[in-house]
Amino acid sequence: MSFIKQKEFAIILFVLPLLFLLFNYYTGIAEPAASELINWGSYLWNFSMIIGTYSLFRVHGTNIAKKGKDWSYSVVIFISFVTYFVASYVSPDVFKLILDYIQTPIMLTIWMGGFATLTMVFRGARTKSYLGVLLLLGSIFTVLRMAPIGPLIWPGFHTIGMWINDVPNMAVMRAITIVMGVGLIATLVREILGKETHYLGD
Amino acid sequence: MNVVGEFIFAAIILMIWSVLYKNNPFYKLISSMSVGLMLAFWLKGGIDAIIKDVLRPALLDMNLARFAVLVLGVVMFLRFYKGLAFASKWPIAILAGVGTAIATKGAIPTMILSQIKVGSFVSSDILGNVNNVLIWIGVISTLVYFMFSFKHGPVVGGISKIGQVYMMIAFGVIFGQYVYGTSVMAQMLYLLKYPGYYATIIAVLVLAASIVREKNKTKPAEETKA
Amino acid sequence: MLPGKNFDLIIFLLTVAGMYLFMRKAEGGRLPNIRSIPLLEELDSIIGRAAEMGRPVHYTTGYGGLHDEWAVMCVAGLAILSKVAEMCGKYRVWLQFTCFRGYLVPIGQDILKTGYEKGGAPEMYTPDMVTYVGEDQPAYIAYIMDYFMTERPAVSMVFGAIQAEMNNILMQAARVNAISLAGTPRLYYQGKMALMCDYCLLGEELYVAGASITSDPVHLGCIEAEDWFKMGIIALLVIAAIFTTLGMENVLQSLINW
Amino acid sequence: MTEKKKWYNISMDVQDSLVYFILILLCGTVVLYPLGIPLNVTKETREYYDALIAVPEGGVILYDEAYMVQSYVTGSEITMFRMMFDLIREKDVKLIIVSSCVDGPLGGAMIDKLLAEGVDKTGTTYGVDYVNFGWLPGFELVLSSISKNIQTVTMNDAYGTPISQIPMMKDLTTADIDVFCFSCSVSADPWMRQWGPLHKPILMSGGSSLIAQAMPYYESRVLTAYLNGARGLAELEQIYGKFTIATALMDATNLASLYGIALILYSNIRYQMGRRKMQ
């Protein structure tokens, strides 16, 4: 019984499905079991999401109970969660209304993408070295290649833009894809050997 | 055409934009509402999927595999019970194992092997040859830039400097596409259409009022200082 | 064996064996000598400048935590945090660490406490140097946009698994003229970092910086193994170039799809 | 005597709000009064159109809707759905719609909205010509189970009917699927890793900021064709003939890009001037 409590048992439970899926990938044996195990992954992910929700409510619950900082906004979180969750099961048309007229504008605007772009362009373009100038040239030609107005001003923008996209960008993206692939395998090796146990949360 | 809905749509956009001026209760309200709504949205998706693919097959059709998933899912909730908290790590370990396996098994063929393609240097069209040589040099110099355990002498340093030049142009392409792709067009549409522009007018008035109040608050302070 | 996967398996087994050997070598004490990372050298002078300006330093490790697949990036970010905390102790600068996950709060507080003690200013450390704003991105972005405008930090540091909030952090750091440092392997943000930051860690440099600070043998061994793997890829590229010029590219192609 | 403030030395915060105000003004006017700048159709969009049209008689298309909220608002993904439903009518094609959207169930809501209002479904019956799996959590796990066996992806579809009772899904395997389409906003890597080894035509559409990263896959033929972001959607509408908001927003995007470039040049030149004056 004590062995089950050890961390090693959890590492074994991590390594076994991993090796089985790799074995199935290379040999193609036990195909139905492999696809069942992959589906298990997404269903367990659902359960872990419910736990994440519970931990967030604990944080905001104590915040309300202790009347901590901005506790009134924690109340807003609870109210909006309950109304939206109940509406999704009880009355679908209220759910659609909230989705179309409240959640959609929030998701459309909350990340402030448009303004972040402008500040970066306006403030960031102060290049200190020739590398920065190269970066700006690359982005200017890319924007003019993609904007329909670019070729109207000078058709050369499209040809140079395409060249930048096809040669330097292709080379670097290929190299970075290779580097990322190697990084993935390195992480896998560390996890198989039990040196990397982030999933145990320690 | 739900007029009230469209007005609320525009009002929420303006409330979020107000954080550019200063963090204010409007933005905090919307930000916390987004937390609650997003949570409910995700939870409904997750619970529907669990009912659809785990509960119904496990309990109604007695599918043994899905029953095991149900047990593992319930075991995950033991983390709040001191005695059996160690057991709650098992399902998460299995989940992490499956996730790592499918991410890595596809990595070698697509991310590494299919990248080792070199265009011919001696084909008919000259420009194609030059481009292929430049791509080949670019891939090798960028890989050399990402080598850390080799001493950066004159040769290796020079090659990685070439790699840096390639990378800056390529990152310029990524930044250029971000600048082109990200814009406030879709939001503008709603701020200037029929019910939306009332919200815009109200927002401009509120902004002007707060700027004026801000000026009055700081001016008397300066007079006392002078 | 499924057709077309034999070469794939050979490369996989070679990599796993190579990484295991280099890890064993690094754990045996023979650590690889990693080339200097320009950003780590400049950290000292940057925090010195922050001390002259008398304004705080802001540090965050971003949206990724220790429980998901971005754990490696977050661990490297925390390693750099320990070095920054030590320097902030030395120059007596207030270091504000904004974290995104509940379990990072105690970890952050321990790192800051030991950092300030090592730096020689243990009395300067207070637990509320670590702020936790909840697990959601919009709340995190709102807090950061507010913090930068009110506190106006001198230095903004972002190391770890960053997502959409990187745009807002770089935006606000530029608006308050803060010295901006950033490092993340996520490809999508390399362009923004290279343009907006004074010093940045491109691609895998974050892992190397984290590992060289903690001199953790496992990661250092992996880094050296990856370098040899990349050397192998370059060799394959050279062979591929020779084959294609000789007009025999299908030979290599058949080997890869063997 | 303090130096008289030049017009460009006003405080940085005011300059920032000025920059934002000009953007709002610029895009606002263009959105209301479109300039109608002509849009030339590029090679990539033509390739995408031909690859989608070239699905064999009675073939199967799988469409993974995982794009961000942008397309939910502007509905710009509608052209692909219209083309696919035309194919159902003309070439008796089967269509599987699924959403592995990493941003949550919005992908499922997106499909329901397009199927309900956007597409005319005359002559096609649900369950025989097309099936909607709805949003499936797990992102890359869903893509992996699709590449392994389409039957086990989910037990029942978005409306609750079990897969076994859907006539179209009777003994349908992943090998029968002829064209894989996906629209995504994050990065194309997961799709390439999972669907690449199947060696079937893969078509990408979605955000424009992930095309640079997908170029190696496009060049090594893992990715067959791609749409050039919002501009690609507008071009596809030009080829297809029916227009939506995507084309209307094109003019505003044009001016916003020029405005961005003008800002880059302006701030760079002013910075270099300032540095030279300091030396």
Side-chain angles (χ1 to χ4, degrees), chain D:
Chain D
M1 197 273 287
T2 61
E3 189 213 331
K4 195 171 70 61
K5 276 213 163 150
K6 296 227 173 19
W7 63 273
Y8 51 77
N9 279 355
I10 44 180
S11 84
M12 268 305 175
D13 290 348
V14 175
Q15 279 189 26
D16 280 327
S17 15
L18 211 62
V19 161
Y20 301 144
F21 187 67
I22 293 173
L23 171 76
I24 293 171
L25 215 64
L26 199 70
C27 305
T29 46
V30 174
V31 164
L32 289 181
Y33 311 105
L35 307 170
I37 299 165
L39 179 70
N40 59 335
V41 178
T42 55
K43 169 172 75 70
E44 292 88 8
T45 314
R46 180 65 60 183
E47 268 176 19
Y48 186 95
Y49 183 79
D50 297 342
L52 193 57
I53 295 293
V55 66
E57 196 75 30
V60 180
I61 299 177
L62 184 122
Y63 187 86
D64 178 4
E65 168 60 54
Y67 191 30
M68 280 272 286
V69 72
Q70 215 81 0
S71 68
Y72 182 79
V73 172
T74 58
S76 46
E77 299 282 306
I78 188 69
T79 314
M80 267 84 81
F81 274 75
R82 284 182 179 143
M83 282 170 64
M84 288 190 282
F85 273 84
D86 292 350
L87 284 171
I88 291 177
R89 281 186 281 271
E90 288 149 14
K91 295 173 91 170
D92 185 21
V93 161
K94 300 278 180 293
L95 174 62
I96 303 171
I97 308 172
V98 71
S99 169
S100 64
C101 183
V102 74
D103 296 305
L106 194 69
M110 176 73 191
I111 296 170
D112 302 339
K113 182 175 177 185
L114 287 175
L115 286 181
E117 306 143 11
V119 183
D120 63 341
K121 301 189 281 295
T122 55
T124 62
T125 52
Y126 183 79
V128 173
D129 295 322
Y130 67 97
V131 69
N132 172 16
F133 284 171
W135 179 70
L136 300 175
F139 187 40
E140 195 162 354
L141 297 163
V142 173
L143 306 178
S144 181
S145 65
I146 288 173
S147 71
K148 271 214 156 346
N149 181 358
I150 192 74
Q151 295 287 351
T152 64
V153 170
T154 171
M155 297 294 273
N156 25 36
D157 68 355
Y159 313 113
T161 53
I163 296 288
S164 46
Q165 291 168 9
I166 295 177
M168 163 180 155
M169 295 298 290
K170 198 121 356 267
D171 53 57
L172 182 84
T173 64
T174 305
D176 301 336
I177 299 174
D178 299 296
V179 178
F180 289 82
C181 308
F182 70 96
S183 77
C184 73
S185 61
V186 185
S187 94
D189 266 345
W191 282 271
M192 293 299 120
R193 278 198 295 260
Q194 303 307 331
W195 292 353
L198 298 175
H199 300 300
K200 286 281 180 61
I202 301 177
L203 309 179
M204 175 177 98
S205 74
S208 60
S209 46
L210 50 93
I211 292 160
Q213 199 244 335
M215 285 309 288
Y217 298 115
Y218 177 67
E219 211 261 345
S220 59
R221 286 294 160 266
V222 180
L223 178 68
T224 317
Y226 66 94
L227 278 182
N228 219 341
R231 176 193 161 124
L233 291 171
E235 284 169 30
L236 197 67
E237 281 161 19
Q238 293 241 332
I239 302 174
Y240 185 67
K242 279 210 179 75
F243 294 100
T244 70
I245 290 179
T247 313
L249 292 181
M250 260 306 147
D251 300 338
T253 317
N254 274 333
L255 286 191
S257 335
L258 287 185
Y259 178 53
I261 291 171
L263 279 178
I264 289 180
L265 298 178
Y266 164 73
S267 67
N268 200 327
I269 291 159
R270 203 158 68 82
Y271 178 73
Q272 304 299 353
M273 260 169 28
R275 230 159 57 130
R276 202 152 292 118
K277 202 164 49 177
M278 262 196 309
Q279 267 137 17

Side-chain angles (χ1 to χ4, degrees), chain A residues 114-175:
Chain A
F115 295 107
T117 316
L118 269 183
T119 311
M120 282 195 213
V121 157
F122 179 56
R123 284 301 190 81
R126 297 178 293 183
T127 50
K128 294 174 232 342
S129 69
Y130 72 98
L131 291 173
V133 176
L134 277 177
L135 195 135
L136 284 183
L137 282 180
S139 50
I140 286 174
F141 275 108
T142 307
V143 169
L144 286 177
R145 166 178 65 89
M146 295 182 81
I149 207 164
L152 296 183
I153 300 170
W154 175 51
F157 285 136
H158 188 73
T159 45
I160 296 175
M162 282 317 287
W163 183 82
I164 286 179
N165 194 30
D166 290 346
V167 176
N169 179 53
M170 174 76 69
V172 171
M173 286 310 146
R174 188 173 285 172

Side-chain angles (χ1 to χ4, degrees), chain C residues 46-196:
Chain C
I46 286 167
I47 294 180
R49 252 180 282 159
E52 285 149 24
M53 283 190 235
R55 284 166 30 214
V57 171
H58 179 261
Y59 191 100
T60 180
T61 52
Y63 185 65
L66 292 173
H67 63 290
D68 46 28
E69 66 273 14
W70 287 313
V72 189
M73 302 181 195
C74 194
V75 165
L78 293 174
I80 297 175
L81 174 65
S82 60
K83 186 168 174 111
V84 169
E86 192 183 324
M87 285 184 192
C88 285
K90 192 171 85 175
Y91 287 98
R92 309 189 63 75
V93 173
W94 177 281
L95 169 61
Q96 188 69 38
F97 173 54
T98 315
C99 61
F100 207 92
R101 302 290 175 188
Y103 51 76
L104 282 180
V105 172
I107 297 173
Q109 281 165 350
D110 296 346
I111 291 177
L112 288 182
K113 182 188 269 287
T114 47
Y116 272 94
E117 268 147 22
K118 235 184 275 179
E123 76 290 349
M124 213 182 150
Y125 163 74
T126 54
D128 56 16
M129 278 181 169
V130 175
T131 50
Y132 169 65
V133 198
E135 306 264 327
D136 190 76
Q137 218 173 11
Y140 184 66
I141 288 175
Y143 169 78
I144 282 198
M145 292 188 86
D146 181 33
Y147 175 83
F148 271 88
M149 294 314 278
T150 49
E151 297 291 330
R152 289 189 173 270
V155 181
S156 150
M157 294 192 189
V158 190
F159 295 105
I162 313 294
Q163 293 202 6
E165 71 276 359
M166 172 70 113
N167 305 331
N168 305 78
I169 292 171
L170 294 179
M171 167 180 168
Q172 293 298 75
R175 283 178 77 179
V176 298
N177 293 330
I179 302 166
S180 191
L181 306 176
T184 180
R186 291 176 56 72
L187 180 61
Y188 188 53
Y189 298 104
Q190 307 291 315
K192 295 167 197 164
M193 273 196 316
L195 184 69
M196 296 294 286

Side-chain angles (χ1 to χ4, degrees), chain C residues 185-252:
Chain C
R186 291 176 56 72
L187 180 61
Y188 188 53
Y189 298 104
Q190 307 291 315
K192 295 167 197 164
M193 273 196 316
L195 184 69
M196 296 294 286
C197 297
D198 301 292
Y199 298 96
C200 59
L201 295 172
L202 295 174
E204 309 292 317
E205 284 178 340
L206 176 71
Y207 300 133
V208 174
S212 58
I213 286 176
T214 56
S215 67
D216 159 26
V218 170
H219 282 93
L220 290 176
C222 268
I223 287 167
E224 195 176 1
E226 282 172 29
D227 285 352
W228 285 103
F229 189 94
K230 289 166 200 163
M231 190 58 80
I233 296 282
I234 290 178
L236 265 178
L237 282 169
V238 169
I239 295 165
I242 296 166
F243 271 24
T244 39
T245 40
L246 301 182
M248 294 155 37
E249 64 263 0
N250 39 38
V251 169
L252 191 70

